């Protein structure tokens, strides 16, 4: 469906032409002065220069030609030359009725779907998820859903950190604790046990212990580094242990991501890229893209236009070990081979920006991706505590994601129980749903690149620009619809009539902006644009709700129109929050 603003622009273009001016000046934009009008056209100001005429004269001419328009109810020319526009109420109603009958609520999907890989999550195996991993999961999931809604083929890849030094550390610590295990017996010939020699709780305890110990003990650290080397070179026992670590840890990660409503299509990791490295290194050397510098193999990536120093991308250290960038380049080779993506989007902490500049430039220079493949880095800012410093536990330690989520749930549970008497089970369940909305909306309503303050009190409040406020609004609509249904049967879609009050009209126009809001969010890959839209919509609905007796309306036809509009409002809300990655409960 055409966007409402575009339909208005078409009317304006016709009017400019009919008045003897070029059509291109007829462009409708949202009003700067919502108290005066709904949309406005500033084209007469630009036309004034071309036609050497006072802008208000042009605006007058055009407004005259708009008389009788089916779409524009009122076009008023105001000095110095604006055209203030009010949409025809019957037309707006018709627009909404059409929306509710269309697939995707009238949003036009992209005509040529692209294949887009979204690299997000990036959890490190065997290390507990901490709040640093929260933002990539929340933002990446939302971007994925937006892009998918818009019609592209999306592949979400968790890209686990499963190949680094932490693996060597864990294996070293295991050997210290259980030297009798067959994995450490070089002479062992039999089948290794199927049961992992640890639980997830042990695994999570092992990593921090080992990591701290290695910092104090050089020989232990050497051993861990060597073990990492052994693993990366196919050592049998290490590989078998690595498989155990992966299975136990990934099962736990899946559970954690699931509770965040985050779903990946691919569970690949850094280890998957390793087989591509030797051949890639040869290629980079042979084609002259990489060269040795002080024993290390590097790709120069600086460009003349750089305003700051961009160091070369390191491919191999002087001891022959590969690095983070090597893995990312090799992953690009794999992705190109398996999926031929048109675009890859990385949702990663913005402090890794330089790394991605190096990787992207190297990939282009060495033709590891096709020239037309788009590589995009969405760098997000830090989640801070109220003190403005990176979010920590009360004791000052690294906050685990699970604790953060359960804290919020507890808070929501308290609020829900305070308000009404419902069963404990329902309250727990609702607290989960609403708590997730609080966390996700609190994050997504900020532009991703900005740091933000994780403010539990504000995020869980039912007032203001918060997840719970949006959910309360949706639940309110659901409750009205249910009551209507009990009294009068199934509500009907698509029978909205022209608005009779200002708040009703405002809600209608807000609903009509749906496709425009989604398009902006899609083009900019910006979930915060959906939050902003949803918030405006909630405000418009609540204004209408407070000023209107919906269930007590005596005129049946008018009531049915209200209800029909509520059905659409609910659908728009639910579609939007689904793109944000959360849902609404039945009651709150
Ligand atoms: N595992 C990394 C970390 O925790 C994030 C991975 C981001 N993705 C990538 N392709 N490098 O910092």
């Amino acid at each position: 469906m055409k966007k409402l603003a575009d339909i208005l622009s078409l009317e304006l273009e016709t009017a400019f032409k009919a008045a003897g001016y070029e059509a291109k000046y007829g462009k409708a934009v949202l009003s700067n002065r919502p108290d005066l009008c709904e949309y406005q056209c500033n084209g007469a100001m630009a036309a004034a220069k071309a036609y050497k005429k006072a802008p208000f004269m042009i605006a007058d001419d055009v407004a005259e030609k708009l008389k009788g328009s089916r779409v524009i109810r009122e076009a008023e020319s105001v000095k110095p030359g604006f055209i203030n526009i009010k949409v025809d109420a019957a037309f707006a109603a018709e627009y909404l009725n059409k929306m509710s009958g269309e697939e995707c609520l009238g949003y036009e999907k992209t005509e040529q779907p692209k294949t887009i890989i979204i690299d997000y999550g990036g959890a490190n195996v065997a290390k507990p998820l901490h709040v640093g991993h929260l933002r990539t999961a929340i933002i990446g999931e939302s971007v994925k859903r937006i892009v998918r809604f818009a019609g592209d083929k999306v592949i979400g890849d968790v890209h686990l950190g499963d190949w680094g030094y932490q693996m060597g550390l864990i294996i070293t610590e295991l050997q210290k604790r259980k030297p009798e295990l067959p994995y450490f017996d070089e002479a062992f010939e039999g089948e290794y046990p199927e049961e992992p020699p640890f639980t997830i709780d042990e695994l999570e305890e092992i990593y921090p212990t080992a990591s701290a110990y290695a910092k104090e003990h050089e020989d232990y650290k050497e051993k861990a580094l060597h073990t990492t080397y052994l693993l990366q070179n196919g050592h049998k026992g290490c590989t078998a242990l690595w498989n155990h670590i992966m299975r136990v840890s990934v099962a736990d990660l899946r559970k954690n991501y699931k509770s965040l409503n985050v779903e990946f299509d691919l569970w690949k990791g850094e280890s998957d890229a390793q087989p591509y490295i030797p051949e890639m290194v040869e290629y980079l050397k042979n084609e002259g893209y990489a060269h040795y510098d002080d024993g290390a193999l590097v790709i120069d990536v600086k460009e003349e236009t750089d305003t700051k120093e961009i160091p070369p991308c390191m491919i191999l250290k002087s001891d022959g070990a590969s690095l983070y960038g090597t893995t990312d380049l090799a992953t690009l080779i794999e992705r190109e081979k398996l999926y031929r993506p048109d675009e890859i989007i990385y949702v990663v902490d913005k402090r890794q920006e330089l790394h991605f500049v190096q990787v992207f430039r190297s990939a282009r220079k060495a033709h590891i991706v096709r020239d037309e493949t788009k590589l995009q880095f969405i760098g997000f800012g830090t989640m801070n505590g109220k003190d403005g410093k990176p979010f920590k536990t009360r004791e000052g330690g690294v906050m685990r994601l699970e604790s953060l989520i359960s804290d919020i749930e507890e808070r929501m549970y308290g609020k829900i129980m305070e308000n009404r008497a419902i069963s404990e089970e329902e309250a727990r369940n609702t607290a989960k749903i609403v708590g997730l909305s609080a966390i996700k909306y609190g994050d997504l309503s900020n532009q991703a690149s900005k740091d933000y303050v994780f403010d539990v009190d504000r995020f869980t409040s039912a007032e203001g620009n918060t997840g719970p406020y949006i959910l309360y609004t949706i639940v309110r609509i659901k409750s009205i619809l249910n009551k209507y249904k009990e009294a009068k049967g199934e509500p009907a879609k698509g029978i909205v009539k022209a608005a009779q009050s200002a708040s009703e009209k405002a809600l209608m126009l807000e609903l009509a902006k749906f496709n425009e809001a989604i398009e902006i969010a899609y083009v900019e890959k910006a979930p915060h644009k959906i939050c902003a839209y949803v918030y405006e919509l909630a405000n418009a609905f609540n204004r209408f709700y407070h000023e209107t007796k919906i269930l007590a309306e005596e005129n049946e036809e008018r009531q049915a129109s209200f209800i029909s509009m509520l059905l659409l409002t609910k659908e728009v809300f639910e579609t939007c929050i689904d793109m944000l990655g959360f849902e609404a409960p039945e009651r709150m």
Side-chain angles (χ1 to χ4, degrees):
M1 253 174 100
K2 266 207 181 70
K3 284 173 284 192
L4 182 58
D6 290 346
I7 298 177
L8 297 171
S9 293
L10 271 181
E11 287 289 301
L12 282 160
E13 282 173 20
T14 313
F16 267 89
K17 228 159 112 192
Y21 306 102
E22 261 191 277
K24 67 171 187 196
Y25 296 110
K27 182 137 199 66
V29 293
L30 269 181
S31 163
N32 284 333
R33 290 285 306 272
D35 51 325
L36 297 180
C37 59
E38 295 155 354
Y39 283 83
Q40 67 185 55
C41 171
N42 307 334
M45 245 79 80
K49 291 193 193 85
Y51 293 93
K52 304 202 172 24
K53 221 171 169 181
F56 71 88
M57 288 170 76
I58 299 176
D60 276 347
D61 292 348
V62 175
E64 187 58 34
K65 297 286 178 204
L66 284 166
K67 285 206 174 109
S69 160
R70 208 173 68 80
V71 180
I72 296 176
R73 163 108 201 112
E74 223 181 279
E76 194 193 353
S77 128
V78 291
K79 292 214 166 123
F82 297 109
I83 305 169
N84 285 351
I85 291 168
K86 285 198 177 137
V87 180
D88 185 82
F91 180 80
E94 217 179 277
Y95 190 87
L96 298 195
N97 291 332
K98 194 155 176 244
M99 248 177 102
S100 55
E102 298 238 344
E103 202 189 323
C104 297
L105 299 165
Y107 179 81
E108 284 179 27
K109 290 192 177 265
T110 46
E111 274 172 22
Q112 282 165 329
K114 288 180 283 189
T115 298
I116 301 184
I117 294 181
I118 306 193
D119 180 317
Y120 69 110
N124 299 316
V125 168
K127 294 195 205 174
L129 280 177
H130 58 79
V131 296
H133 289 111
L134 185 63
R135 295 211 72 192
T136 168
I138 292 178
I139 299 166
E141 181 69 17
S142 179
V143 170
K144 184 187 77 183
R145 289 171 183 227
I146 293 168
V147 172
R148 190 167 281 164
F149 182 85
D152 288 322
K153 178 171 179 257
V154 196
I155 306 171
D157 182 7
V158 64
H159 196 76
L160 297 172
D162 60 358
W163 201 239
Y165 172 54
Q166 89 261 31
M167 294 296 186
L169 274 172
I170 292 166
I171 298 174
T172 304
E173 181 63 20
L174 274 170
Q175 184 164 17
K176 187 171 146 204
R177 294 183 189 187
K178 304 179 185 176
E180 71 286 358
L181 288 174
Y183 310 95
F184 307 117
D185 176 2
E186 297 300 331
F188 184 76
E189 293 277 329
E191 293 270 317
Y192 290 121
E194 284 210 0
E195 277 299 299
F198 42 72
T199 63
I200 182 68
D201 292 335
E202 280 171 89
L203 197 54
E204 288 193 344
E205 172 266 322
I206 290 176
Y207 171 73
T209 311
S211 157
Y213 195 80
K215 284 191 188 118
E216 305 284 301
H217 300 84
E218 194 51 38
D219 52 333
Y220 185 92
K221 183 177 163 192
E222 283 303 321
K223 179 135 207 286
L225 283 168
H226 181 65
T227 309
T228 312
Y229 172 85
L230 287 179
L231 169 70
Q232 296 183 344
N233 286 282
H235 181 276
K236 223 171 62 185
C238 289
T239 307
L241 274 176
W242 179 81
N243 279 317
H244 282 310
I245 301 173
M246 287 297 285
R247 235 169 292 140
V248 171
S249 181
V250 168
D252 186 60
L253 284 171
R254 280 185 192 270
K255 201 184 75 201
N256 276 301
Y257 280 123
K258 197 167 174 224
S259 71
L260 278 175
N261 223 352
V262 170
E263 285 159 24
F264 298 98
D265 305 290
L266 295 180
W267 280 81
K268 287 188 159 281
E270 296 180 358
S271 63
D272 289 283
Q274 304 311 310
Y276 297 89
I277 291 180
E279 203 181 313
M280 177 179 86
V281 168
E282 281 314 300
Y283 164 78
L284 292 175
K285 280 199 287 202
N286 293 343
E287 299 295 317
Y289 295 125
H291 63 92
Y292 281 98
D293 183 7
D294 221 2
L297 188 67
V298 302
I299 303 180
D300 279 332
V301 291
K302 59 170 189 280
E303 285 170 8
E304 268 177 27
T305 48
D306 287 343
T307 49
K308 62 172 190 257
E309 174 81 18
I310 308 286
C313 182
M314 259 231 239
I315 304 299
L316 296 177
K317 288 202 284 193
S318 45
D319 64 2
S322 56
L323 300 101
Y324 190 34
T326 326
T327 301
D328 267 322
L329 282 174
T331 303
L332 280 171
I333 295 183
E334 187 196 28
R335 287 177 176 162
E336 193 65 27
K337 182 172 156 212
L338 300 182
Y339 312 106
R340 257 184 93 79
D342 300 296
E343 194 169 333
I344 305 177
I345 300 173
Y346 296 80
V347 184
V348 186
D349 193 314
K350 74 177 176 202
R351 285 170 293 190
Q352 291 193 27
E353 181 162 17
L354 177 60
H355 165 78
F356 283 99
V357 169
Q358 293 170 314
V359 168
F360 292 178
R361 286 188 184 181
S362 300
R364 294 236 174 273
K365 186 170 170 179
H367 303 287
I368 282 176
V369 293
R370 287 165 293 140
D371 288 347
E372 61 274 20
T373 309
K374 195 173 156 200
L375 300 172
Q376 193 185 353
F377 173 67
I378 300 185
F380 53 80
T382 309
M383 181 175 135
N384 289 324
K386 274 191 184 168
D387 57 0
K389 298 203 186 91
F391 198 82
K392 292 262 157 62
T393 59
R394 236 169 275 143
E395 293 73 38
V398 178
M399 180 72 142
R400 292 188 46 169
L401 196 50
E402 270 177 296
S403 340
L404 175 110
I405 295 172
S406 60
D407 281 2
I408 296 260
E409 278 177 19
E410 239 1 88
R411 184 77 74 99
M412 284 317 318
Y413 175 76
K415 285 191 186 209
I416 291 166
M417 285 308 251
E418 207 173 89
N419 289 343
R420 63 198 69 203
I422 53 172
S423 78
E424 154 123 24
E425 194 196 341
E426 185 178 347
R428 287 270 167 221
N429 219 351
T430 307
K432 247 196 185 65
I433 299 176
V434 185
L436 191 60
S437 82
I439 298 176
K440 287 197 166 185
Y441 193 93
D443 187 308
L444 293 172
S445 51
N446 303 287
Q447 195 178 324
S449 60
K450 300 224 165 94
D451 297 348
Y452 76 98
V453 173
F454 191 87
D455 182 340
V456 182
D457 296 319
R458 191 165 76 76
F459 289 3
T460 56
S461 165
E463 273 144 51
N465 190 7
T466 69
Y469 169 65
I470 305 300
L471 295 193
Y472 266 113
T473 307
I474 300 175
V475 165
R476 176 170 280 161
I477 298 173
K478 285 187 179 182
S479 144
I480 302 171
L481 288 172
N482 283 337
K483 285 190 186 130
Y484 178 86
K485 201 167 149 183
E486 272 164 32
K488 310 208 165 147
E490 206 58 52
K493 263 187 169 191
I495 52 164
V496 177
K497 296 265 167 345
Q500 293 183 17
S501 74
S503 63
E504 187 185 3
K505 174 96 181 278
L507 173 56
M508 287 196 184
L509 291 177
E510 212 47 57
L511 286 166
K513 279 183 213 152
F514 169 75
N515 49 9
E516 183 160 2
I518 302 303
E519 185 174 283
I520 295 175
Y522 168 63
V523 171
E524 299 180 9
K525 310 286 178 280
H528 73 280
K529 294 282 164 92
I530 294 189
C531 291
Y533 172 64
V534 160
Y535 182 54
E536 286 303 317
L537 184 62
N539 288 340
F541 172 78
N542 286 317
R543 227 172 291 130
F544 164 74
Y545 168 82
H546 288 300
E547 286 178 13
T548 317
K549 294 205 165 42
I550 301 172
L551 289 167
E553 172 61 49
E554 280 167 12
N555 179 327
E556 295 273 332
E557 196 181 311
R558 192 155 154 71
Q559 186 181 49
S561 165
F562 288 157
I563 293 295
S564 196
M565 178 163 70
L566 258 59
L567 270 181
L568 180 64
T569 312
K570 171 168 122 49
E571 219 182 317
V572 169
F573 268 125
E574 286 177 337
T575 307
C576 288
I577 64 171
D578 185 59
M579 281 186 249
L580 298 175
F582 58 89
E583 55 185 20
E586 281 315 302
R587 322 190 277 170
M588 268 166 90

